[in-house]
Amino acid sequence: MSEPTIGSGPGRALVAVYGVFALAAGARAAVQIATRLQEAPLAYWLSAFAAAVYIVLTVALARGDRTLALVACGIELAGVLIVGTLSMVYPEAFPRATVWSGYGSGYLFIPFVLPVLGLYWLLRRR
């Protein structure tokens, strides 16, 4: 019998949450970029980048691609920490919030917790 993949069991919950975040962040960024890009281009493009990372993570976890999922989780965690810190130290650079602003405070800090859980799951399943 084969070993369960990273996208099975509790990993399915991660796939689902990342899928929802990919849709939410992607739709929000698309509307913002299409209608108000001049207001906060950096923030809106960062949200689009976050959505792309969530899409990659959703697919990587669902397919069981551990290496890609680890890389994407690392990028996500770095993004949340860097953008979160910069948005607190230099709020004028972020006149509108991104998915990762304030460490994901606009999304109940889920963007901060998700990569930690993702990395834990991926490293635990080795």
Side-chain angles (χ1 to χ4, degrees):
M1 194 155 116
S2 65
E3 181 180 320
T5 66
I6 57 175
S8 65
R12 286 181 189 224
L14 280 175
V15 172
V17 173
Y18 275 119
V20 168
F21 264 75
L23 287 172
R28 177 182 176 185
V31 168
Q32 291 169 328
I33 289 168
T35 62
R36 326 188 279 268
L37 182 60
Q38 68 284 355
E39 289 179 13
L42 176 62
Y44 297 157
W45 284 115
L46 282 171
S47 287
F49 178 73
V53 172
Y54 294 144
I55 290 167
V56 169
L57 271 160
T58 302
V59 172
L61 288 168
R63 290 188 177 174
D65 189 337
R66 180 183 314 280
T67 302
L68 181 57
L70 280 168
V71 169
C73 269
I75 290 169
E76 180 191 8
L77 183 58
V80 170
L81 293 174
I82 292 167
V83 173
T85 300
L86 289 175
S87 68
M88 303 295 251
V89 176
Y90 301 108
E92 65 278 0
F94 299 90
R96 299 287 188 271
T98 74
V99 175
W100 294 337
S101 294
Y103 306 104
S105 61
Y107 288 85
L108 304 174
F109 298 98
I110 295 170
F112 176 73
V113 174
L114 266 179
V116 173
L117 290 176
L119 288 169
Y120 173 77
W121 177 252
L122 290 165
L123 295 172
R124 183 179 155 263
R125 302 293 301 172
R126 284 195 164 226

